[in-house]
Structure formats: C-alpha cells, structure tokens
C-alpha cells in the first residue's frame, strides 16, 4: 500500500482518471443539452456502443483513429435523428424509447462484431499529444494536465462552450424555455419541435463521440464495451444539476475513483474476491452522491413531457 502513496504513482493515477473521465464527460454534456430541452435519453448507452464500434471498425480497416472519431460523430447524429423522430414527431414515451435505443445498440453492435470481427483485435488508438513545454513542467502539473490526447483537451474545453451556449445564446435561451414551459415558448414563436430535435441530435452526436473515444482510448472492442457508462453519464447530469461545470466535476470524480481502483488492483493491494467488489466502487459512489444531492436540485419542469399544442 505504501507504494501507492508515491508522487509518481499518484500523478499517474490522477492523469489516468482524467482520461477515464472523457467518455463520461462527453456523453453527460450532450445529455445535459438534451435534458435542458426537456428530453430524457435513456439510450445513451446504446448510442455509445454504436459509436464505439463504428470508430473501432473504421480504425481497424483504415488505420485512422481520426476517421474513426468522425464516424462516431456521424452515427451519433444519425441515432439522434432517429430518436428525435420517435420522441418529438411521434410523441412516443421517452423512457421506453430510450431503452429501445439501448437494446438496439447492444444487440446491433454484438451482431456486427460477431460477423465482421469475431474476436477482439487490438488497434492503434488515440495518441498522446503533449503540449510542448507545458508537459515538461517539473512540478508534475505538466504530466498531469498536459500529456493527453487531443480529444481529452477538446472534451474539457467543451465545458465552457456548452455553458456559454446554454446561458448566453438565443439557442440556449430557447432550449431552457422549451425545457421549462414548452407551451409558453410556443406562444412566443419558438419552434419547440425544432429546438428539441436539435438538442437531441447534439446530445446523441456527443454520445457517439464518447463511445468512439472509449474504443480508441482502450484500443479494442468487445461486446458491451461501455459496461454501463452511458447510464452513469445520465446519472452525472443529475449529479451536476444540469450545469456543465458540475457535470465535469462528477465525471472527474468517477474517473479518478475508477483509476484508483485499477491502480490498486495492478499493485495487488486489491485482489481476489475483493477485486470484484472494488470494481463496484465508482457506481456505488455515484449512487450515494445522487442520494445526497437529489434533495437539493430541481430538474427541468418539462423533462420527459412530450409537447403538443393542445396541451
């Protein structure tokens, strides 16, 4: 255990936690936009799986991780369009529709993997891009913060971007309006269906990117690769009270806890039957935090409520 409390191990664990937080952060930021518009998407997990397979298979066939990321974005947008049609146009119940998207993604990627790949084949994933002299900081801050993949930097830069869009733009104002009182927004000339459709596509595009990031970070794909990460991302939106900065904090917390458990397992501090229990720590921590904060937050008033002009 003493070996864990060394500067190099702690820095490496925290840096790993930042990397592990990226898929959660991307998916949770996208879901934040969707939920602020009044749409709950329980299919995030399924979209992440499809994005992960698209990115993995593209990188496997072409050798290009960048092209894999692009495909992850595209399939996320396509799934977002499908989900928007189901929930916004057809007024289907959001919870059931989301579970349907999840089950589709789980089964579809399993089928594609079995038919097109068969067994897990490692690929060349995302490469670390140190920010020159910043990464060489002798205080270890450089190693901790500036020795990551480009997508990691992008993910954290999206936090202030999403905040600015939601709070400082006309689109963001409309998103919040249709999420709180779509009937009132409609009377003011806001197209509720258009705003919700756009928010859903943004959210699912980011979920597809999150899945792609996961597959390319690990460098491999297997059945149910996401292992519940999409559902954790949804929980992180509630943890963050629909605020990007708090969503980021929750993602980092989950990532660091996961990295700590992995590091303790590598050093045989946690082993055997205890290891399986320890793997539950991030999820258990999330549940505990949600129980604590759930009494102090209020969700968007129109969340999960389909909009019709007759009320």
């Amino acid at each position: 255990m003493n070996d864990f409390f060394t500067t190099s191990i702690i820095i490496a664990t925290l840096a790993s936690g930042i990397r592990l937080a990226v898929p959660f952060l991307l998916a949770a930021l996208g879901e934040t936009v969707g939920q602020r518009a009044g749409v709950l998407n329980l299919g995030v997990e399924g979209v992440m799986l499809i994005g992960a397979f698209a990115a993995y298979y593209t990188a496997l066939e072409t050798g290009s991780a960048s092209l894999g990321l692009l495909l992850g974005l595209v399939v996320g947008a396509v799934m977002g369009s499908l989900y928007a049609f189901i929930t916004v146009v057809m007024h289907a119940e959001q919870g059931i529709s989301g579970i349907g998207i999840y089950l589709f993604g789980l089964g579809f990627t399993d089928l594609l993997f079995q038919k097109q790949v068969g067994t897990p084949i490692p690929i060349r994933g995302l490469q670390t891009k140190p920010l020159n002299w910043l990464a060489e900081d002798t205080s270890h801050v450089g190693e901790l913060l500036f020795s990551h993949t480009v997508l990691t930097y992008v993910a954290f830069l999206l936090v202030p971007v999403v905040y600015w869009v939601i709070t400082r733009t006309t689109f963001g104002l409309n998103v919040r309006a249709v999420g709180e009182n779509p009937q009132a927004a409609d009377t003011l000339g806001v197209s509720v269906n258009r705003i919700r459709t756009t928010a859903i596509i943004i959210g699912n595009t980011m979920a597809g990117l999150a899945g792609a990031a996961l597959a390319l970070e690990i460098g491999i794909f297997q059945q149910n690769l996401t292992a519940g990460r999409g559902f954790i991302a949804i929980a992180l939106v509630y943890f963050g009270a629909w605020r990007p900065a708090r969503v980021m904090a929750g993602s980092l917390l989950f990532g660091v806890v996961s990295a700590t458990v992995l590091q303790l397992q590598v050093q045989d501090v946690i082993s055997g039957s205890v290891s399986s229990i320890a793997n539950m720590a991030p999820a258990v921590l999330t549940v505990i935090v949600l129980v604590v904060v759930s009494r102090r937050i209020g969700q968007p008033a129109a969340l999960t409520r389909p909009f019709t002009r007759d009320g």
Side-chain angles (χ1 to χ4, degrees):
M1 187 68 177
N2 290 334
D3 292 338
F4 180 80
F5 293 103
T6 62
T7 301
S8 59
I9 293 298
I10 291 175
I11 293 297
T13 301
L14 292 175
S16 178
I18 291 174
R19 290 191 293 272
L20 291 175
V22 169
F24 298 112
L25 179 59
L26 289 170
L29 285 176
E31 180 65 7
T32 297
V33 176
Q35 289 196 24
R36 291 299 291 264
V39 181
L40 172 66
N41 181 15
L42 294 180
V44 171
E45 178 93 351
V47 177
M48 286 181 67
L49 277 169
I50 297 173
F53 180 81
Y56 167 78
Y57 189 69
T58 300
L60 179 65
E61 293 295 311
T62 67
S64 172
S66 299
L67 189 57
L69 285 177
L70 178 61
L71 262 292
L73 283 167
V74 170
V75 298
V78 170
M79 294 303 296
S81 300
L82 174 62
Y83 187 63
F85 176 77
I86 293 171
T87 58
V88 176
V89 178
M90 302 302 294
H91 305 294
E93 206 281 327
Q94 294 176 14
I96 295 174
S97 300
I99 293 298
I101 292 292
Y102 159 62
L103 293 175
F104 170 77
L106 182 63
F108 186 56
T109 54
D110 190 11
L111 175 64
L112 287 177
F113 179 74
Q114 294 294 340
K115 294 294 184 181
Q116 300 298 324
V117 184
T119 57
I121 301 174
I123 59 171
R124 180 180 174 84
L126 297 172
Q127 302 302 304
T128 298
K129 298 291 184 181
L131 297 182
N132 299 325
W133 61 272
L134 291 174
E136 299 174 0
D137 187 284
T138 56
S139 66
H140 298 288
V141 174
E143 180 185 352
L144 177 62
L145 300 179
F146 305 114
S147 297
H148 298 283
T149 64
V150 172
L151 186 58
T152 301
Y153 306 132
V154 170
F156 284 93
L157 285 174
L158 281 173
V159 175
V161 171
V162 171
Y163 172 80
W164 178 78
V165 169
I166 290 177
T167 62
R168 296 290 187 269
T169 67
T170 301
F171 172 72
L173 175 63
N174 291 337
V175 164
R176 287 180 285 134
V178 301
E180 293 294 336
N181 193 331
Q183 277 72 27
D186 182 62
T187 61
L188 294 175
V190 176
S191 175
V192 176
N193 287 350
R194 179 174 60 82
I195 294 296
R196 283 190 169 181
T197 296
T198 304
I200 290 170
I201 292 175
I202 290 173
N204 280 267
T205 299
M206 293 184 69
L209 180 61
L214 177 63
L216 295 175
E217 177 69 36
I218 297 175
I220 205 165
F221 185 88
Q222 60 188 16
Q223 292 96 329
N224 195 26
L225 176 71
T226 51
R229 287 176 174 84
F231 294 108
I232 293 296
I234 296 172
L236 289 173
V237 177
Y238 287 82
F239 168 89
W242 298 271
R243 292 174 174 82
R246 290 182 58 174
V247 168
M248 178 186 70
S251 300
L252 283 170
L253 175 62
F254 198 93
V256 169
V257 171
S258 299
T260 300
V261 171
L262 289 173
Q263 186 63 245
L264 292 175
Q265 289 173 337
V266 167
Q267 296 188 356
D268 288 329
V269 176
I270 299 175
S271 60
S273 59
V274 180
S275 180
S276 300
I277 298 174
N279 287 331
M280 297 170 57
V284 171
L285 177 62
T286 302
V287 171
I288 292 173
V289 171
L290 283 174
V291 169
V292 172
V293 304
S294 62
R295 300 178 182 180
R296 298 186 289 106
I297 60 178
Q299 66 183 29
L303 185 62
T304 74
R305 285 168 42 194
F307 168 74
T308 55
R309 281 191 164 170
D310 58 7

